[in-house]
């Protein structure tokens, strides 16, 4: 395992799509290589921070009512 | 409201709508309205636009529901119409960024500052969250959409590929490059918290 392969595997690692064997090779490299370790941690944390971005929730119930009645009119006219 | 429609799969609901079932239509709206709204909101960063887009998307898609031959593609079709409507809004507002070339040649391993060890109140501050949101806004459009769909909204690579008409490897590569850019921007931002005495490992 070298640094180049290590950084390529990172994304697949986060997708849980690499083998146990590769994971242990990756871990061995991360223990030895400070640059990759930092890269790995900050890359993963970037993903985590994006996952925590919030939406100022949600569609208002008035909007849903308005939409539903519009849909009734157009799709299921009496 | 019948419990029946709540149990049906998305595809089964679509079939029911095609057969003129109004309850199935209401269930689809319940199931997807916030998803469509969230995606439109993150793409446009405009709450009232996101509501309008949400309404427009359902009206468009459900009035053309008979043209959908494979019911299993309903969700990705909905997302595709949503991204297109959001792009349309941004274009009108002149916020549509043309594809900018991103220089990621040195972003793979440039910074060795380990900001992952910073305390949560720094990492999760309102300010850092704003930095990240603004950084996402600056990504080229397809890359930004992929990052929003995958990391912010938690959709699957396959669904994103289907929505955007890309291959899965193309989605992954845009995602990776987008994350690298965001990581760089966050590294620059968090650097002000680094220990001036040097080694923070
Ligand atoms: Zn390394």
């Amino acid at each position: 395992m070298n640094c180049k392969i290590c950084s390529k595997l990172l994304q697949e690692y986060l997708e849980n799509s690499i083998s146990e064997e590769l994971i242990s090779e990756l871990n061995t490299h991360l223990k030895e290589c400070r640059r990759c370790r930092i890269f790995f941690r900050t890359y993963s944390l970037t993903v985590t921070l994006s996952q925590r971005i919030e939406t100022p929730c949600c569609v208002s119930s008035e909007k849903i009512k308005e939409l539903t009645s519009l849909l009734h009119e157009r799709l299921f006219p009496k | 409201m019948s419990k029946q429609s709540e149990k049906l799969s998305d595809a089964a609901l679509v079939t029911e709508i095609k057969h003129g079932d109004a309850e199935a239509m209401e269930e689809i709206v319940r199931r997807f309205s916030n998803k469509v709204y969230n995606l439109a909101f993150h793409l446009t960063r405009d709450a009232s636009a996101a509501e309008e887009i949400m309404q427009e998307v359902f009206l468009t898609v459900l009035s053309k529901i008979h043209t959908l031959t494979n019911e299993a593609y309903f969700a990705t079709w909905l997302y595709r119409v949503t991204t297109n409507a959001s792009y349309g809004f941004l274009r009108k507002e002149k916020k549509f960024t043309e594809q900018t070339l991103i220089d990621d040649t040195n972003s793979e391993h440039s910074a060795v500052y380990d900001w992952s060890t910073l305390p949560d109140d720094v990492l999760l501050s309102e300010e850092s969250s704003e930095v990240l949101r603004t950084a996402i806004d600056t990504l080229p459009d397809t890359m930004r959409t992929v990052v929003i769909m995958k990391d912010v909204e938690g959709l699957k690579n396959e669904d994103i590929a289907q929505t955007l008409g890309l291959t899965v490897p193309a989605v992954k590569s845009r995602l990776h490059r987008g994350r690298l850019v965001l990581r760089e921007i966050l590294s620059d931002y968090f650097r002000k918290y680094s220990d001036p005495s040097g080694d923070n490992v």
Side-chain angles (χ1 to χ4, degrees), chain A residues 35 39 41-43 55 72, chain B residues 26 42 108-109 114 176:
Chain A
R35 280 180 96 80
F39 179 72
R41 283 190 198 150
T42 51
Y43 182 98
T55 304
H72 273 286
Chain B
E26 289 183 16
H42 288 299
E108 289 270 332
H109 269 128
D114 186 6
H176 184 60

Side-chain angles (χ1 to χ4, degrees), chain A residues 3 29 33 36:
Chain A
C3 297
H29 181 79
C33 179
C36 282

